[in-house]
Amino acid sequence: ILNVEQSPQSLHVQEGDSTNFTCSFPSSNFYALHWYRWETAKSPEALFVMTLNGDEKKKGRISATLNTKEGYSYLYIKGSQPEDSATYLCAFPHGSSNTGKLIFGQGTTLQVKP
Amino acid sequence: DAGITQSPRHKVTETGTPVTLRCHQTENHRYMYWYRQDPGHGLRLIHYSYGVKDTDKGEVSDGYSVSRSKTEDFLLTLESATSSQTSVYFCAISESTGEQYFGPGTRLTVT
């Protein structure tokens, strides 16, 4: 059974703090690693799809790095704002080929206090 | 926003009744997915489709069936609803095996 682990489970920071969290995934048969942002009462929204070892992607104050050899990805948020409060999910393709089926981690829930 | 709608958005039904949830897209994307969201479990894939009439099982497919007779519609059927199927159901689409776009969700309560 594929395991996608995220840590920490939850995080509380003050506005302006920078923060980061981790997604761990199986390093064999790597195809891609997805990051999604999920605000309360809304639907998940794609942040990044990462495919290359050493890749770094950025969207505004949010960035992500990828290490496929050791099986982890970091998501960084610089200068957190209250609107960054959400659950951040990572997901890994399931199966022996890249079928589009994703296994999601449990998520890291971020609360940013004004 | 990707054009994805789900119907109904809320439903309360009784144990043992059949229920069908509909996902409709206007993006002409090839792949469509059904997930359920439960506390402590996050998002889990129920079934997915990689083309018209082409479907496959996900992690938690027992008790569910799907059909896709047109590109734009992906139906999820609970043959005989049970209380353990009380959940929020999300449909998602993708053009390829890249990022997925999620619908607004359907809250199903089985009493």
Side-chain angles (χ1 to χ4, degrees), chain A residues 34 36 43 98-101 106, chain B residues 33 40 48 57 97-98 100 103:
Chain A
H34 295 224
Y36 290 82
S43 305
N98 192 8
T99 60
K101 297 195 291 186
Q106 300 264 353
Chain B
Y33 313 84
Y48 89 115
K57 295 179 180 179
T97 53
Q100 297 183 10

Side-chain angles (χ1 to χ4, degrees), chain A residues 2-4 23-34 36 66 68 71 90-95 98 100-105:
Chain A
L2 219 99
N3 258 347
V4 180
C23 173
S24 301
F25 53 86
S27 56
S28 58
N29 295 324
F30 178 83
Y31 296 102
L33 191 283
H34 295 224
Y36 290 82
L66 179 67
T68 61
C90 69
F92 187 78
H94 173 257
N98 192 8
K101 297 195 291 186
L102 295 178
I103 298 290
F104 281 84

